[in-house]
Structure formats: structure tokens, C-alpha cells
Amino acid sequence: MSYGKAAAERLQNKVVLITGASSGIGFAIAEELAAVNSNIKLILTARSLDKLEKLKQSLEKKYEGIEVLAKKLDVSDVNSIVPFVNQLPKEYADIDILVNNAGLALGRDEVGEINPTDIETMFQTNVLGLITMTQAVLPRMKERNTGFILGLGSIASRDGYPGGSIYCATKASVRSFFQSLSKELISTKVRCSLLEPGMVRTNFSMTRFRNDQQKEADTYKGGEPLNAVDIAEIAAFILTRRENTVIAETLVFPTNQASSAHIYRSE
């Protein structure tokens, strides 16, 4: 995607922390921001350090001037988040942009049949991990009176569907959290924004269905979902607006979708 010079310059020398950056939307956002302005510092976190290191090497080879720190972090382990942030190298300590991307869905079981471990994992990752990361980063943003917190939500926050009760509940929690956060920040120059995609084909459904390829394929059958790059382009647009501009919430669908329950299928 092409960005104007002024928009690209707004990323100049920024320190950007992205959770869940080893694949999918987080991976694509790292690539997109580097393409917009390579004079940035990226902190890439996820559970898979090997994948992060490969992304780091690819970015450093492709973009002159970029600085990349790849660090293992599982945001579901909320007690590890504050120490992680506090132990960042000095040159990465003042985070300008936090992209709360890490999240997952597990299973499509209905209420009464849901594995308690799946419930805990989804809330720990999607809600408590996001909140704890935000709390760890926000005070220094407030001290400097600048910064941007971007959350990756979902249409599921607004429109529950059968078999999605826990995932939908986690994303509704994220949406409420950001609505409150935005009101708390209006007297500062720290901004926050929530990006809520509809159907996006990444490794999301493979994780949800525990690598069942048929169930993953059936999820997207008869339509054309968005992909990670589609969301990354929108994220980069949000993050490169002037400091007096906040795109508070963004809801984005593929053309064959109008809600989580209304998906046009061609067959």
C-alpha cells in the first residue's frame, strides 16, 4: 500500500512493540510498518522465538536502517509481562506504539460442553494478557505525553454466534476496555484505537480446530475472506494519522460478510 510522505514520517524513529508477531496479522503488521518507514525499532514478541528470529532476519535484510528485537513472550503468562517490559534494553524502553495483537480461539463447543482449560486460555490471552501489557506500557507513555495503543478486536465483540460464546465474550471485554481507555486518555496526547476484523484467513482457524484441515477449509468455503495484509494495511493507516486524529474503532469485513452470522456463500 502506498503512503504519503507525511504519513510515513510519523513513524520515523518510533519504537513499536507487537505481540503475537510470529505469524498472521502480527507478522503482517511488522512487515507493513517496516515498508512504510524502515527507520523504526520493532520489538517482536510471540511464543515461538524461532519464527520471530526468521522474521527479524528477513526484515533486517530487506530494510536498511531498521532495528529489530525478537523476544519470546507468552502473554497468557500475565506475571511475565511486567518483568519483560521492565527488562527491555534502554534503546527500546520508551515504547511509542503498542500493538496488542496476540489472541486466539479454541474450539466451537457450546455452553455446558466447553473445556475449562480452553476458557482459561482464551481469557488469559485475549483479555488479561492485553490488559496487563497495556498497563505495563501506558505509564511511561503518559509521562512523555505521547504514544499509541492499538488493539486487535473482532466483529465477535458485537455479534455472538453459536459455538463462540467464550471467544465472543473475550472480544466484548476488549471492546469495553478500549472504550473506557479512550475516555481516560482524552486529556492526554496518548491515543488508542480498536481494529475489529471480520473473517480473516490466517492460522486462526487452524489453531481453533487444532490443525483439523477440513474444518479450517469449511470455515472459508464459498467466500473470499480477508487476509493478514488487508488488516495490516488498515493498521498502518490508523497508526500514521496526525497526532490530533484518533480513528477510535474500525470494523472491516470481506465483501461477502455483513456480520459474524451473515456470510454469503456462493454454493
Side-chain angles (χ1 to χ4, degrees), residues 7-18:
E9 287 178 349
R10 292 176 195 133
L11 288 179
Q12 184 79 12
N13 299 321
K14 298 295 186 184
V15 177
V16 184
L17 192 160
I18 305 173

Side-chain angles (χ1 to χ4, degrees), residues 126-127 130-131 151-160 167-183 192-197 248-251:
N126 300 357
V127 182
L130 178 147
I131 291 172
L152 267 293
S154 170
I155 177 55
S157 73
R158 307 169 184 236
D159 189 17
Y167 178 71
C168 294
T170 66
K171 291 302 182 179
S173 297
V174 168
R175 187 168 183 237
S176 293
F177 176 76
F178 268 83
Q179 287 175 336
S180 296
L181 179 62
S182 66
K183 294 175 176 65
C192 70
S193 181
L194 184 62
L195 173 52
E196 297 185 301
E249 293 186 17
T250 305
L251 180 61

